[in-house]
Amino acid sequence: DKVLMELIEPYELRAAKLREFLEDVKPSLRYDIVPLADPYGPSVTDPDLRCLVVSEETRRGGEAVNKKRAENGLPELALYEIMLMKDPDHSQNEEEKISSSSLRQRLLGTLLRPPRQDPALPSRPYVIGLTGGTGSGKTSIAKLLEHLGAFLIDADKLGHAVYVPGGPAYEQVVAAFGAEILNEDGTINRKVLGAKVFGNQERMKSLTDIVWPEMARMVKEQIREADAQGKAVCVLDAAVLLE
């Protein structure tokens, strides 16, 4: 249940670092590194264990281990409590102790790996697809990125533009779904159109087959506009991303 799972090192690497640490502390030390698949590991089943090293914050876990050992008919472990080293450089929102969680927080915003170079794609602008459901905060993030200098493409605005009279999908949508979807002024009533396609996969596909290619074309035009303006980064704010 750790946050930022992508930034947690794999078990093999963590075990190798632990092994290096143990050998550095005392080369003659005998040890057995075991992956923990549950909160207890071998501590509640190994009769040869005598002591468990805990910290102030994990002492309750050690007491839970002893309770479990008693249930399993095993002798109680001595709990040896160690002090945790403080992080003198921790920020207000980070843990006071030296913590890998704080390190992962500091890595936010850095690339996990270099962007893959695709010869079919131009080197700039670098296009970022920003997606998420209603209320997920993507509009706030989009505005922040725009404030930092990115060229913002709002797919929702393009979605409205595609339906307006004279818009690229207007005639096709009216022809496919009938004049009853029109308001008195000739504009498409989005609620009436929505009621026609909602819950009907075939009609929904008919609509998206008309609208999505036009929106994709408009997005590409916007990307070309970003390039013309010399923008290095282009952010596409969209509820649905199209390859």
Side-chain angles (χ1 to χ4, degrees):
D1 60 350
K2 286 275 190 180
V3 294
L4 306 177
M5 288 177 58
E6 297 83 359
L7 297 178
I8 296 176
E9 291 177 335
Y11 167 75
E12 291 78 13
L13 183 56
R14 293 166 75 93
K17 287 185 175 181
L18 177 57
R19 189 174 292 109
E20 182 183 5
F21 170 75
L22 293 170
E23 290 173 351
D24 188 46
V25 169
K26 192 172 184 180
S28 62
L29 193 68
R30 290 179 57 199
Y31 57 83
D32 186 17
I33 299 175
V34 181
L36 299 183
D38 60 65
Y40 297 104
S43 65
V44 295
T45 56
D46 189 341
D48 295 329
L49 288 181
R50 293 290 177 265
C51 173
L52 188 64
V53 179
V54 297
S55 67
E56 182 182 355
E57 65 179 20
T58 62
R59 186 174 188 90
R60 287 177 63 185
E63 292 167 353
V65 164
N66 274 333
K67 184 177 178 182
K68 203 79 172 174
R69 284 179 69 89
E71 292 174 4
N72 294 340
L74 296 174
E76 185 178 273
L77 298 178
L79 299 181
Y80 181 79
E81 186 175 318
I82 59 169
M83 299 289 291
L84 292 174
M85 291 187 68
K86 306 294 184 184
D87 182 355
D89 300 317
H90 76 277
S91 70
Q92 186 176 0
N93 298 320
E94 293 177 344
E95 296 182 86
E96 189 178 351
K97 68 177 189 296
I98 292 177
S99 165
S100 61
S101 295
S102 297
L103 177 62
R104 290 196 296 277
Q105 290 282 1
R106 292 168 194 171
L107 286 172
L108 277 176
T110 60
L111 292 171
L112 292 176
R113 62 184 68 86
R116 186 178 72 252
Q117 295 300 317
D118 186 338
L121 295 176
S123 60
R124 55 186 298 162
Y126 186 76
V127 182
I128 298 173
L130 178 62
T131 191
T134 302
S136 62
K138 65 180 183 298
T139 301
S140 299
I141 297 297
K143 287 179 180 177
L144 175 62
L145 293 171
E146 184 181 30
H147 179 71
L148 292 172
F151 185 95
L152 180 61
I153 301 173
D154 187 336
D156 197 39
K157 288 181 180 177
L158 297 183
H160 282 84
V162 85
Y163 286 105
V164 298
Y170 178 83
E171 297 291 346
Q172 295 179 72
V173 171
V174 174
F177 295 95
E180 63 266 27
I181 67 169
L182 297 177
N183 294 312
E184 289 183 4
D185 60 0
T187 57
I188 292 175
N189 188 315
R190 298 280 291 272
K191 287 186 177 179
V192 174
L193 177 60
K196 275 180 169 284
V197 301
F198 185 75
N200 187 314
Q201 287 189 336
E202 189 176 331
R203 286 184 180 178
M204 178 63 81
K205 186 178 186 307
S206 297
L207 181 62
T208 56
D209 283 350
I210 296 170
V211 173
W212 282 1
E214 294 299 337
M215 287 189 64
R217 184 182 57 76
M218 295 168 79
V219 166
K220 288 174 182 176
E221 286 179 358
Q222 291 273 288
I223 292 172
R224 285 193 290 270
E225 174 61 25
D227 188 30
Q229 292 184 19
K231 293 287 187 176
V233 175
C234 190
V235 176
L236 172 59
D237 174 0
V240 178
L241 294 178
L242 308 176
E243 284 85 349

